[in-house]
Amino acid sequence: MSHKRIVICGPAAAGKNFLRTKLENQGFKFDVSYTTRPMRPGEKEGVDYKFITNEVFAFMTQLGSFYEHVIHNGYGYGTGKKEWETSDCFIMETDGIKHIDPKSRRKTFIIYLNPPIKIRKLRMKGRGWSDQMVEERIKADRKKFKDFKDYDLMITNDDF
């Protein structure tokens, strides 16, 4: 590996894309990950994600095309091997971070965004999520991040 990397991690509505935009504006090159989830309003193919089918995801997995890949909320997400070698910054799930090999981890700075739940709830509701969807996601994120410790910096600022 010839360069250092930044990985951003955090629960839903933590500000990952906000930080991504700030870093991109400073010249950092972000990975465009693969996903099988449907495109959300405002997202663009090849900018936010490379949207692929479940069949393509399974094929890429069999070929070993991913540096890391996970199933999250029923959808596949993955970082391509080429992207891992050529990009500066990534947004990853906790399960994806577990796949970073020890040599690469030494040159990877992981930022864990963890704002207060009340802020995250407001953001999710602002995205049109129902109260039930918000509560289910908060519950799932609590479980997922309960023992998460593999980060270098945690940001808890409620104004982030």
Side-chain angles (χ1 to χ4, degrees):
M1 174 174 50
S2 61
H3 66 283
K4 294 185 178 186
R5 297 180 183 90
I6 297 171
V7 171
I8 302 168
C9 182
K16 297 180 293 288
N17 284 318
F18 174 82
L19 182 54
R20 174 188 178 155
T21 300
K22 294 289 186 188
L23 290 169
E24 283 178 320
N25 289 340
Q26 294 297 315
F28 288 90
K29 181 182 176 196
F30 256 86
D31 155 64
V32 179
S33 299
Y34 296 85
T35 186
T36 62
R37 78 158 169 74
M39 191 181 298
R40 294 177 184 154
E43 289 183 327
K44 295 179 183 168
E45 167 65 34
V47 175
D48 298 290
Y49 284 98
K50 295 172 189 162
F51 295 93
I52 59 175
T53 64
N54 288 323
E55 293 78 18
V56 170
F57 188 85
F59 184 67
M60 289 178 72
T61 301
Q62 288 177 337
L63 287 177
S65 300
F66 293 119
Y67 177 77
E68 62 83 24
H69 65 282
V70 299
I71 302 297
H72 177 67
N73 290 333
Y75 298 112
Y77 292 85
T79 303
K81 285 182 178 177
K82 178 183 174 192
E83 290 82 0
W84 180 252
E85 292 302 323
T86 59
S87 299
D88 303 313
C89 299
F90 305 81
I91 294 176
M92 283 189 184
E93 295 290 329
T94 56
D95 290 337
I97 289 171
K98 292 175 188 174
H99 293 281
I100 299 174
D101 65 84
K103 183 178 178 185
S104 293
R105 179 60 181 98
R106 287 190 292 277
K107 291 191 174 190
T108 303
F109 190 79
I110 299 175
I111 301 171
Y112 172 28
L113 301 180
N114 190 25
I117 290 175
K118 66 180 182 176
I119 299 298
R120 294 179 46 230
K121 285 182 177 182
L122 287 172
R123 291 175 183 167
M124 286 185 258
K125 288 181 180 182
R127 295 175 182 172
W129 294 27
S130 69
D131 289 342
Q132 180 181 348
M133 288 171 63
V134 169
E135 291 307 318
E136 287 173 0
R137 188 56 185 264
I138 294 291
K139 182 179 177 182
D141 284 344
R142 263 194 196 115
K143 181 178 179 182
K144 181 202 257 183
F145 287 93
K146 181 182 176 210
D147 296 319
F148 181 63
K149 304 269 189 272
D150 191 12
Y151 58 86
D152 301 295
L153 173 68
M154 178 169 47
I155 299 174
T156 59
N157 186 343
D158 64 352
D159 192 29
F160 181 78

